[in-house]
Amino acid sequence: MSVRTRPGPGEPVASLVEVAAYVPDTSVTVEEAAVPLGLSPQEQRRYRRFLGLDRVRWDPAAHQVDLLCAAAGALESLRGNEHRVRFVLHARTIEPTGPYSVNPLHQAVGKLGLGHATAFGVSQHACASGLLAVDLAARLLAAQGDPSALALVLTGEKTYRHVARFMLAATIMGESSAACLVGLDGPRDRLVAYASRTDGRFHELTAVSGEVATAFGEQYPAGLAAIITEAVDAAGLTLDDLALILPHNVNRVSWTRLCNQLGLPFDRVWLDNIPRTGHCFCADTFVNHTDATAAGRLRPGDHYLMVSVGLGATFSAMVLQH
Amino acid sequence: MLRLDTIRHRTFGPSSATEPFAGFLDLFVERCAPHGVAVVDGPVPGNHNGYASMCLRLLTDLCAGQDPDAVVIAHALPDYDMTVSISGYLEQRLPGEPLIFAVSEQGRTTPFAALRVAATLAAQYERIAVLVVDQGTIPYPDPALSTVDSTTDHAVGLLFTRDGRTPPPLVRQLTGVGRERLTQTLTTELAHTPDATVILGPGVEQALTSPAPFTGATAVVGAGRAVGPALAEPTRNSPPGGQWCTAVWSRLAGVLADPPPGPVVAVEYDPELGYLCLSIFEAIK
C-alpha cells in the first residue's frame, strides 16, 4: 500500500503549529526494567550493548488520560485557542485502553476544554498511526473550509508487561507522550509529502519468533529505506536535501543499518532519545521533534523527515519543511 | 465524498475459534485493573469473532469485482482477535495496495467519524469501503455494555465509488448535546430535510422522550420504542437488538434495499459522549 499526499496548486498546506512532549521524570535502567518484564541477563546485555538502550521512562502513577493531558498541556499555542480546535485524534498502537466506560480520549478532551471538538481514535497502523493521524487531520482541516481551524493529534500509551511479552524483542516500551497541533497554511513545519505502506505478510502480531519474525527482521531495513525514498521522491527532494531524520526510538542498531543502506550520515538521524526514553508507541517521532527543535537542529527552511514503523507491518514517512 | 454504490449487512454466529489467544485476557486484566474492573474468570461468553476475519467476509459480499483502494474500519467495541493487524490481514488478501486503517473511540457514533474521514480521501481514492463492525465477546463486565448482544455479531459495509447510485452523504456531527437538548437539537436538524425517511439508531431511540423531531418525516425507522403513538402510522419498525455502532447502518441497508422517494437520514446519538450525528442521503437514483 502506498499513499502520497502533496497539496495541489491553491490547496491549503497543512503545518505543525506546535509539537509538545511529556517525558516522565521517572526512569528505570534496562536492568531494573528487566525485573517486571522478566528479561533474562542475556536479553539485558543485548538490549544495552547491541540495541543501544539504557533507561526507559515510565510513569507508574499516571493513567492514560494523564499522559494525554500532560503532553497537550505543554502546548503553548493551545491556550486561548481551544475554540479553534475542531478535531482531536488519538493515534494508537494498541486499541483497548481499559473498560469501555472509561474513555481516556474523551476524558482528556473534557479536561483540556475541547469538548466542542470531534474526537476519535485512529489505529491499525500500530506505532505508525501517529503520522497517519497527522495526515488525516490535515485532510479534515482542508475539507471543513475554515482556514483558522486546528486539529490536535495526541500520542502516547501506557505500557504493560503484557505488551513487552508480545512485542518483537527489539526494544523496551516507554510512556512518554506527545501532542501535535495541526493547522493550515502556517509559517513553519509545513507538510510536504507523506508515504505509507502496509506489508501484510507480517500481520501476525504474536509472531515474535520463527520464520515470520526472522523474515520481518530481514525485510525491515529494506521496507524502511523504501518508504523513506518514496516520501522524499514525493516531496520532489533527494536524501541529501534532508537536514534531519526524526525516527521512532526502537533501537540504535536498526538505524545504523539503515544509514549504511541509504548512505546517510549517521549524525543526520536524531537518536539521542533511544537510550533515554525507550520506544513510546506513536509518540517517538514527535518527542524527537521537540528535542531536536529545542537543540537548534532545525533551521528555517530545512526539510526533515518523520518516520515510523508499526507492527503489522506499516512503514510510514512524512517530509516537512521547518 | 464519493457516491454510495452498495451497502451490505452481514451477521456472524459463533466462530470456530472458541478460545482466545494466550495473552487476550492478560491484556484486559492489565488495562482494567487500574479502574477496579475485574476480567471474567473462565470462558468468555460470545461468538469469538475477530474484526479482521469479519471485515474480510464482509468485503467479499460488498465489493464483488470492485476491490477497494481504501478501507476505513469503524468499531466502538474492542476486537476479540488481537493476534493480527487488521490492516495487514486485509492488505495481504486484497489486490493492489489499499490504504487500510481504523477509527474508534466515539461510541455508537464512531461510524459517522469514519464516513467523515472517508470523505476526505475521495480526491485520491476511487473505491472506498467503510466497514462498520460490532462483536460482542467482551471479557469484562461493563454496565454501559449490558445490552450488547453477544449471540450475534454484525458488520455493515458501505462502498463508495465515483458512479454509485446514491449521492454523497452529508455528515453532521454535533458535540456537547446533553439528553435535555436532544429533542430540540434533532428537531432543528431534521427541519433541514423535510419529507425524509428518518432512521434511528438505538442510542437516539433510548434517549428521546418525545416524538417531536419527526413531525416533518414521511417515515421513521427504528425499533418503535421512541417514536410514540403520534407517529405510529408512518413508522416502519425493524427488529430491536443489541447491536452497538452497526444498528443504524443495518437499518439503513434495509431501507436502501427498497429506496423511498425522498432523502434518507440516519441518526445516532451517544448519550455518554453527547454526540448527535446525522448522515443525510439525498434522493436515490
Side-chain angles (χ1 to χ4, degrees):
Chain A
M1 183 281 296
S2 179
V3 55
R4 303 180 184 195
T5 60
R6 200 178 179 194
E11 294 178 15
V13 179
S15 59
L16 311 187
V17 176
E18 187 183 354
V19 183
Y22 167 66
V23 178
D25 292 333
T26 316
S27 71
V28 295
T29 65
V30 167
E31 291 73 21
E32 290 166 337
V35 177
L37 296 178
L39 302 177
S40 68
Q42 183 183 10
E43 287 172 314
Q44 294 170 43
R45 285 194 296 274
R46 180 170 176 271
Y47 278 127
R48 181 172 288 284
R49 296 175 186 173
F50 184 62
L51 299 178
L53 306 181
D54 177 24
R55 306 185 75 88
V56 60
R57 302 286 178 129
W58 287 343
D59 189 344
H63 287 189
Q64 177 68 59
V65 60
D66 302 320
L67 300 184
L68 301 182
C69 287
L75 286 169
E76 294 180 7
S77 305
L78 183 57
R79 289 182 212 117
N81 286 307
E82 290 88 348
H83 63 286
R84 294 170 55 192
V85 177
R86 303 293 173 82
F87 307 99
V88 182
L89 290 72
H90 184 198
R92 293 249 282 278
T93 298
I94 298 172
E95 286 173 349
T97 56
Y100 178 88
S101 293
V102 181
N103 193 318
L105 169 60
H106 288 274
Q107 289 176 339
V109 162
K111 289 188 174 192
L112 294 167
L114 302 174
H116 56 279
T118 302
F120 56 90
V122 175
S123 60
Q124 292 302 324
H125 282 197
C127 296
S129 297
L131 296 181
L132 170 70
V134 170
D135 180 60
L136 295 179
R139 292 172 184 269
L140 285 164
L141 289 174
Q144 54 78 52
D146 177 1
S148 70
L150 301 169
L152 177 62
V153 172
L154 300 171
T155 55
E157 294 171 44
K158 290 295 290 180
T159 186
Y160 299 94
R161 285 179 296 165
H162 169 88
V163 173
R165 206 156 60 238
F166 289 93
M167 294 285 280
L168 288 168
T171 189
I172 296 178
M173 305 304 292
E175 294 185 345
S176 298
S177 57
C180 177
L181 206 51
V182 181
L184 295 176
D185 290 328
R188 62 185 178 191
D189 294 311
R190 292 161 73 91
L191 199 165
V192 182
Y194 166 67
S196 179
R197 170 177 292 115
T198 297
D199 188 338
R201 289 177 297 169
F202 309 114
H203 68 271
E204 293 178 21
L205 300 177
T206 52
V208 296
S209 61
E211 287 183 15
V212 174
T214 301
F216 179 63
E218 291 172 354
Q219 170 61 25
Y220 183 90
L224 198 49
I227 207 66
I228 289 173
T229 304
E230 280 191 51
V232 170
D233 285 348
L237 302 172
T238 68
L239 287 172
D240 288 340
D241 295 319
L242 295 178
L244 192 63
I245 292 178
L246 303 173
H248 64 313
N249 299 333
V250 172
N251 59 58
R252 180 173 283 268
V253 69
S254 61
W255 289 105
T256 306
R257 288 174 178 164
L258 182 86
C259 287
N260 291 336
Q261 181 158 347
L262 289 176
L264 271 173
F266 201 55
D267 63 1
R268 255 198 277 164
V269 186
W270 183 266
L271 299 173
D272 292 23
N273 282 329
I274 287 178
R276 193 171 77 97
T277 63
H279 172 30
C280 304
F281 301 92
C282 301
D284 283 345
T285 190
F286 300 98
V287 174
N288 290 339
H289 188 287
T290 63
D291 288 354
T293 303
R297 284 293 304 271
L298 290 173
R299 297 165 301 176
D302 276 353
H303 285 98
Y304 63 100
L305 186 101
M306 300 174 80
V307 59
S308 196
V309 179
L311 287 180
T314 298
F315 299 81
S316 298
M318 180 173 280
V319 178
L320 300 101
Q321 186 172 27
H322 192 52
Chain B
M1 184 54 164
L2 302 174
R3 299 170 68 92
L4 177 62
D5 182 276
T6 311
I7 180 168
R8 291 282 183 273
H9 172 213
R10 180 170 183 146
T11 58
F12 297 82
S15 160
S16 57
T18 53
E19 294 299 323
F21 89 99
F24 176 74
L25 292 179
D26 292 346
L27 186 143
F28 281 100
V29 166
E30 288 173 331
R31 281 160 176 71
C32 291
H35 306 285
V37 175
V39 167
V40 297
D41 187 16
V44 185
N47 289 324
H48 307 99
N49 287 305
Y51 286 145
S53 60
M54 288 172 67
C55 286
L56 182 64
R57 289 163 71 183
L58 177 62
L59 281 168
T60 305
D61 290 350
L62 183 69
C63 302
Q66 298 191 92
D67 290 304
D69 51 11
V71 178
V72 183
I73 300 150
H75 69 88
L77 302 173
D79 197 358
Y80 175 74
D81 181 5
M82 281 178 282
T83 65
V84 297
S85 155
I86 304 173
S87 57
Y89 181 90
L90 296 179
E91 191 278 338
Q92 199 179 27
R93 289 159 177 82
L94 292 172
E97 292 186 308
L99 169 69
I100 305 167
F101 60 91
V103 169
S104 62
E105 302 303 308
Q106 209 182 85
R108 290 184 184 273
T109 63
T110 301
F112 294 84
L115 281 182
R116 210 166 167 191
V117 170
T120 71
L121 303 174
Q124 196 174 348
Y125 298 89
E126 297 187 347
R127 295 180 305 284
I128 302 173
V130 176
L131 309 181
V132 185
V133 286
D134 278 335
Q135 73 81 28
T137 307
I138 312 291
Y140 55 83
D142 192 324
L145 302 180
S146 60
T147 59
V148 169
D149 178 13
S150 63
T151 64
T152 307
D153 297 327
H154 296 264
V156 181
L158 299 93
L159 179 66
F160 295 91
T161 64
R162 297 213 184 283
D163 54 0
R165 61 180 181 142
T166 307
L170 172 68
V171 178
R172 295 265 298 152
Q173 289 196 281
L174 308 175
T175 59
V177 181
R179 289 172 193 257
E180 74 286 354
R181 289 204 303 120
L182 179 60
T183 299
Q184 179 59 46
T185 307
L186 194 49
T187 302
T188 303
E189 288 296 318
L190 291 176
H192 298 304
T193 50
D195 304 322
T197 296
V198 179
I199 304 172
L200 304 178
V204 71
E205 280 183 292
Q206 290 161 13
L208 274 177
T209 55
S210 162
F214 313 116
T215 50
T218 56
V220 180
V221 180
R225 173 178 166 180
V227 294
L231 284 166
E233 196 58 32
T235 297
R236 287 192 285 170
N237 289 347
S238 63
Q243 289 174 251
W244 209 247
C245 71
T246 57
V248 71
W249 306 101
S250 59
R251 289 172 182 171
L252 176 67
V255 167
L256 295 187
D258 180 17
V264 176
V265 183
V267 185
E268 186 55 295
Y269 177 65
D270 192 293
E272 305 306 321
L273 302 179
Y275 277 49
L276 173 64
C277 298
L278 302 92
S279 185
I280 302 154
F281 296 83
E282 291 300 332
I284 294 152
K285 281 196 290 187

